[in-house]
Amino acid sequence: MSGLLAMTDLDDERRAACCPTTNVVFHAHSGLAAYDRARFHGGPPIHGAPIQSRLGYSAMFQDRQRRVTEVVADGSNSLILFMIISREHAMDVWMDGRHQGCVRFHRGDLIVVPPGMSSRWCAREGQASVMHLHISGERLAETLADEPERAALDIAPRLAFRDPALEQILTKITRLDEADPLSHLQVAALGASALLRVLRHPPMQR
């Protein structure tokens, strides 16, 4: 499923209406592979230093984008969880080329992007600050092997859902200090809890 799938003519028209075309494209240099491959249109991304664990969990805070009108991310082998930190804002969202509509996000909303799924995010109003948790494909496969009743195919994309337990875990990740020498162990422990929560309690759309 990696890469962008062809959009329908209708989706292409929606994209043109929602996302002003710009040839000014920026890439991040955070060290977080899936994030650095994304294309930011209209302005450079603003982000903190990632916290990365050798066990396959990585976290990063992305600050609100004042000038970015569109972000395009090709599919990666990582499972990606987002938590919205900023106040209410609206975005047109595409998943694997399929328009999901204009989604109004609120602080505390959660997002799941499964491995291999491409996405496109176009700002309508407001700007988002987002916490990223990236879980490597290898770690996901190992965890699924220990959860025989689960399957990778059960992980579906979810936008703007609520889960108080998962939100609590991700909030703890936002409070980690990348300068702390133990932060890579902490993000691994919290990331493992977040992954098990998603697998054992599949999120429901709001």
Side-chain angles (χ1 to χ4, degrees), residues 57 77-81 110-115 133 135-158 161 163 165-166 169-170 190-204:
Y57 300 96
N77 70 343
S78 296
L79 169 65
I80 302 176
L81 306 180
L110 304 168
I111 300 167
V112 173
V113 179
L133 176 63
I135 301 167
S136 71
E138 293 79 7
R139 175 53 55 191
L140 175 60
E142 290 176 6
T143 303
L144 286 170
D146 294 332
E147 298 276 321
E149 69 279 16
R150 315 295 171 190
L153 294 177
D154 292 338
I155 303 175
R158 290 290 183 268
F161 71 93
D163 181 331
L166 184 56
I169 295 168
L170 297 183
L190 291 167
S193 296
L195 175 55
L196 289 176
R197 178 69 187 177
V198 169
L199 293 177
R200 294 175 180 176
H201 304 275
M204 301 297 292

Side-chain angles (χ1 to χ4, degrees), residues 1-194:
M1 266 196 309
S2 61
L4 289 172
L5 299 183
M7 291 184 181
T8 64
D9 291 341
L10 180 59
D11 274 345
D12 208 30
E13 290 173 6
R14 285 172 176 158
R15 177 194 174 280
C18 300
C19 302
T21 302
T22 172
N23 292 323
V24 182
V25 178
F26 297 86
H27 290 273
H29 300 284
S30 68
L32 197 56
Y35 183 75
D36 292 347
R37 284 196 297 270
R39 301 184 293 283
F40 291 79
H41 294 253
I46 303 170
H47 57 81
I51 300 174
Q52 302 191 71
S53 165
R54 294 181 181 178
L55 297 177
Y57 300 96
S58 302
M60 186 182 67
F61 177 73
Q62 176 188 337
D63 202 357
R64 59 185 61 191
Q65 307 296 314
R66 294 292 184 187
R67 294 174 294 167
V68 174
T69 57
E70 178 182 2
V71 181
V72 180
D74 294 336
S76 73
N77 70 343
S78 296
L79 169 65
I80 302 176
L81 306 180
F82 300 105
M83 184 173 71
I84 304 299
I85 305 297
S86 51
R87 292 184 177 179
E88 181 178 349
H89 67 283
M91 303 187 79
D92 272 275
V93 181
W94 284 259
M95 292 290 186
D96 268 347
R98 298 180 181 87
H99 189 231
Q100 307 299 309
C102 180
V103 182
R104 188 164 294 278
F105 294 98
H106 303 80
R107 180 180 290 137
D109 279 351
L110 304 168
I111 300 167
V112 173
V113 179
M117 179 162 286
S118 63
S119 59
R120 185 185 297 269
W121 313 80
C122 299
R124 277 280 191 99
E125 59 183 65
Q127 298 292 340
S129 294
V130 183
M131 198 287 293
H132 293 239
L133 176 63
H134 293 216
I135 301 167
S136 71
E138 293 79 7
R139 175 53 55 191
L140 175 60
E142 290 176 6
T143 303
L144 286 170
D146 294 332
E147 298 276 321
E149 69 279 16
R150 315 295 171 190
L153 294 177
D154 292 338
I155 303 175
R158 290 290 183 268
L159 296 170
F161 71 93
R162 305 303 290 239
D163 181 331
L166 184 56
E167 182 180 351
Q168 185 177 37
I169 295 168
L170 297 183
T171 298
K172 290 179 180 179
I173 293 178
T174 67
R175 296 171 180 161
L176 297 181
D177 181 359
E178 65 273 7
D180 185 336
L182 297 179
S183 62
H184 67 287
L185 297 176
Q186 295 168 326
V187 79
L190 291 167
S193 296

